[in-house]
Amino acid sequence: MNTKKTKTTYGVYNLIEWHARLRMGKATVKVAFTGGSITTQGVTPATFTTENPVIQFAIENSPEFHNGKIKVVRRVKLNGVVEIECNVPKVALPIPAPAPISTESVDAPVKEDENAPDTQADNEVEAEDNAEAEDNAEAEDNAETVPATTQVEFSCNDDAKDYLEQTFGFVRSKLRNREDIVAAGKARGVDIIFV
């Protein structure tokens, strides 16, 4: 939203000075109206002049402005443009859970054709290959479930704490004694040995 920049003078009649607190949402804006006078010549309102569009917005949307206590005395258009942007509301999109990937092979239906070569021998060879592949996959799965432990030697608790903090992001204050340090290492597949 673009609007012309203005220099606005607001006035409060029948007061010499007034320090107003205007609510704007949860915040308050302090505005000092000064310079007013009441003489036999007439009434000069206490005034406040600003170019700040936020303070102008706060004054013009206050109950004091709406009920007529604060009035616009003078408004001068300036050679500037006020650009008002509002933040785009953040929409939290649910993250879909990834679908599990099937490791089983699915055989597509085969059309039998007069001109097709003998497929029974091919199917037997494929069945043997699939059986070997499943055995290899089971062996790999078993190898993955048994974590390979790495042995690391330390001379004191502080060195072990430093290692766990830098390598795995552990908090030093949670590692109070050697049992905690060794347990934290085992949780990450590291066998910690003190020499």
Side-chain angles (χ1 to χ4, degrees):
M1 179 178 165
N2 295 334
T3 59
K4 286 284 191 180
K5 192 168 186 177
T6 61
K7 183 175 186 178
T8 308
T9 301
Y10 299 96
V12 179
Y13 287 86
N14 298 324
L15 291 177
I16 298 171
E17 188 172 313
W18 181 47
H19 297 278
R21 285 186 161 188
L22 307 175
R23 295 195 140 254
M24 189 169 122
K26 292 183 179 180
T28 57
V29 177
K30 295 178 184 177
V31 180
F33 292 91
T34 58
S37 66
I38 302 172
T39 65
T40 57
Q41 303 291 321
V43 177
T44 304
T47 59
F48 174 76
T49 304
T50 184
E51 294 178 14
N52 189 338
V54 175
I55 294 176
Q56 290 174 356
F57 180 82
I59 291 172
E60 291 175 10
N61 288 307
S62 68
E64 290 85 356
F65 186 82
H66 289 293
N67 68 20
K69 185 172 184 176
I70 301 173
K71 296 182 180 178
V72 175
V73 176
R74 189 171 37 259
R75 184 168 289 180
V76 178
K77 291 187 180 184
L78 302 175
N79 290 335
V81 175
V82 177
E83 295 182 16
I84 301 173
E85 297 179 10
C86 31
N87 295 336
V88 177
K90 295 180 181 177
V91 178
L93 297 175
I95 300 173
I101 298 173
S102 175
T103 57
E104 298 177 9
S105 63
V106 178
D107 294 332
V110 177
K111 288 185 183 178
E112 294 199 20
D113 200 11
E114 294 175 8
N115 298 332
D118 185 21
T119 58
Q120 186 174 3
D122 291 340
N123 289 341
E124 290 175 4
V125 172
E126 287 179 13
E128 290 175 8
D129 291 342
N130 287 340
E132 289 177 14
E134 288 178 7
D135 291 339
N136 290 341
E138 288 177 11
E140 288 175 3
D141 288 343
N142 290 339
E144 289 177 5
T145 57
V146 177
T149 58
T150 305
Q151 290 186 347
V152 183
E153 294 182 357
F154 297 103
S155 60
C156 64
N157 288 355
D158 286 334
D159 292 342
K161 287 180 184 181
D162 288 339
Y163 172 77
L164 290 172
E165 179 184 21
Q166 292 171 357
T167 308
F168 301 111
F170 280 96
V171 178
R172 290 180 61 90
S173 62
K174 302 286 182 184
L175 306 171
R176 294 195 176 115
N177 52 29
R178 285 199 177 178
E179 291 83 28
D180 293 342
I181 295 170
V182 170
K186 286 193 187 277
R188 297 290 191 208
V190 177
D191 189 18
I192 296 178
I193 301 170
F194 290 97
V195 290

